[in-house]
């Protein structure tokens, strides 16, 4: 597992099932946030969107289906992959689960190993840097497994913050990130960091990317933030 440590929101009302799964995910390098019901899950996502959500279908009050439907309706949370867990195996339920926008569906009792493989499969699509994927953009190659970056085959020296910034940019080339979004993604929301700190590290990243020459691939978007390419 890469040092990026993907964040998982685990929504399960059965404490024993929740703890077994959380234990396994944490042992594999995931940062796990636990929720015991749908309301709590929605509140936690509002606070900080996780990289992925593992969501039990049968929850008290607000069901997993309803939580999924709400999150997939909002533009801010639509992109977060959701894996639904359910004790129902009927085909009709599978269809309903996918219709609400769930990205994958696992039937209980599930094998923890299989569920973890499904979690990683979703992250390879949405957060490749968190699962050790190799990212490429023009002549820049970032290996999130070994934490090495090269440009035109020459190794680049990068600090840990610059590495995380670059990984974020390389996951979605062309996307414009605001300073606040970069703070959330790279520093995490629990830590208080001034948005000007982002500018300082962007400056360092630019310098690092050009340490053997080449043009600056980062773009400053006035009033909006930064983008790669
Ligand atoms: Ca349940």
């Amino acid at each position: 597992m890469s040092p990026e440590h993907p964040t998982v929101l685990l929504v399960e009302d059965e404490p024993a099932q929740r703890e077994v799964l959380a234990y396994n995910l944490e042992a594999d390098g995931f940062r796990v946030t636990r929720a015991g019901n749908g309301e709590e899950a929605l509140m936690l996502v509002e606070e900080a969107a996780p990289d992925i959500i593992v969501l039990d279908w049968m929850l008290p009050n607000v069901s997993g289906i309803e939580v999924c439907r709400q999150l997939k309706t909002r533009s801010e949370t639509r992109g977060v992959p959701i894996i639904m867990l359910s004790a129902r195996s009927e085909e009709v339920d599978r269809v309903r689960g996918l219709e609400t926008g769930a990205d994958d569906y696992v039937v209980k009792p599930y094998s923890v190993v299989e569920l973890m493989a499904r979690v990683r499969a979703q992250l390879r699509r949405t957060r490749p840097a968190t699962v050790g994927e190799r990212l490429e953009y023009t002549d820049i190659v970032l290996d999130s497994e070994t934490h090495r970056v090269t440009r035109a085959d020459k190794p680049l020296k990068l600090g840990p913050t610059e590495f995380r910034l670059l990984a974020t940019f390389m996951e979605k080339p062309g996307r414009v990130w605001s300073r606040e979004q970069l703070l959330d993604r790279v520093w995490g929301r629990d830590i208080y960091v001034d948005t000007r700190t982002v500018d300082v590290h962007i400056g360092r990243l630019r310098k690092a990317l050009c340490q053997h020459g080449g043009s600056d691939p980062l773009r400053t978007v006035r009033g909006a933030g930064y983008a790669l390419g």
Side-chain angles (χ1 to χ4, degrees):
M1 183 63 60
S2 113
E4 287 292 293
H5 298 302
T7 54
V8 186
L9 173 62
L10 176 55
V11 193
E12 168 65 81
D13 58 321
E14 301 289 333
Q17 289 186 32
R18 188 171 64 231
E19 287 318 304
V20 167
L21 192 50
Y23 173 84
N24 280 280
L25 286 164
E26 282 169 348
D28 210 26
F30 289 87
R31 279 186 293 168
V32 182
T33 305
R34 300 153 167 86
N37 60 59
E39 293 91 335
E40 202 186 344
L42 289 168
M43 208 181 67
L44 288 166
V45 173
E46 187 94 357
E47 276 172 24
D51 292 325
I52 188 163
I53 301 170
V54 176
L55 178 61
D56 187 26
W57 175 309
M58 299 295 282
L59 295 169
N61 305 321
V62 182
S63 73
I65 287 289
E66 180 56 20
V67 171
C68 182
R69 200 192 57 74
Q70 287 196 28
L71 294 176
K72 289 297 182 185
T73 317
R74 295 185 204 148
S75 59
E76 321 85 73
T77 51
R78 189 175 296 147
V80 179
I82 296 179
I83 298 181
M84 294 283 306
L85 304 177
S86 175
R88 309 173 179 199
S89 59
E90 292 85 1
E91 195 60 27
V92 61
D93 287 338
R94 171 180 288 263
V95 171
R96 268 183 64 200
L98 295 175
E99 271 175 359
T100 59
D103 299 85
D104 202 357
Y105 186 94
V106 175
V107 175
K108 288 182 182 178
Y110 52 82
S111 114
V112 172
V113 173
E114 194 209 330
L115 179 57
M116 307 252 289
R118 302 272 194 108
V119 166
R120 267 189 229 98
Q122 291 297 326
L123 290 172
R124 261 195 292 280
R125 185 171 61 79
T126 57
R127 293 293 328 273
T130 67
V131 284
E133 292 289 289
R134 189 181 136 103
L135 307 177
E136 288 183 36
Y137 176 78
T138 63
D139 59 349
I140 306 167
V141 178
L142 179 147
D143 188 327
S144 58
E145 187 80 58
T146 59
H147 245 231
R148 287 205 181 99
V149 181
T150 58
R151 184 164 190 191
D153 299 321
K154 294 190 186 96
L156 297 184
K157 272 196 187 135
L158 285 186
T161 303
E162 287 69 41
F163 181 88
R164 284 201 299 276
L165 267 174
L166 182 61
T168 298
F169 285 122
M170 287 184 72
E171 282 183 332
K172 290 189 171 64
R175 172 180 164 166
V176 179
W177 294 84
S178 70
R179 290 170 176 80
E180 289 74 18
Q181 286 168 335
L182 290 171
L183 276 179
D184 275 359
R185 176 60 69 88
V186 174
W187 282 264
R189 211 176 283 197
D190 354 322
I191 303 161
Y192 178 75
V193 184
D194 196 276
T195 49
R196 275 170 301 184
T197 308
V198 176
D199 301 331
V200 171
H201 287 276
I202 290 280
R204 286 185 195 158
L205 175 59
R206 283 189 151 130
K207 213 169 152 190
L209 286 172
C210 301
Q211 62 191 253
H212 304 302
S215 60
D216 178 7
L218 293 177
R219 188 159 53 93
T220 303
V221 184
R222 200 169 286 277
Y226 298 102
L228 176 67

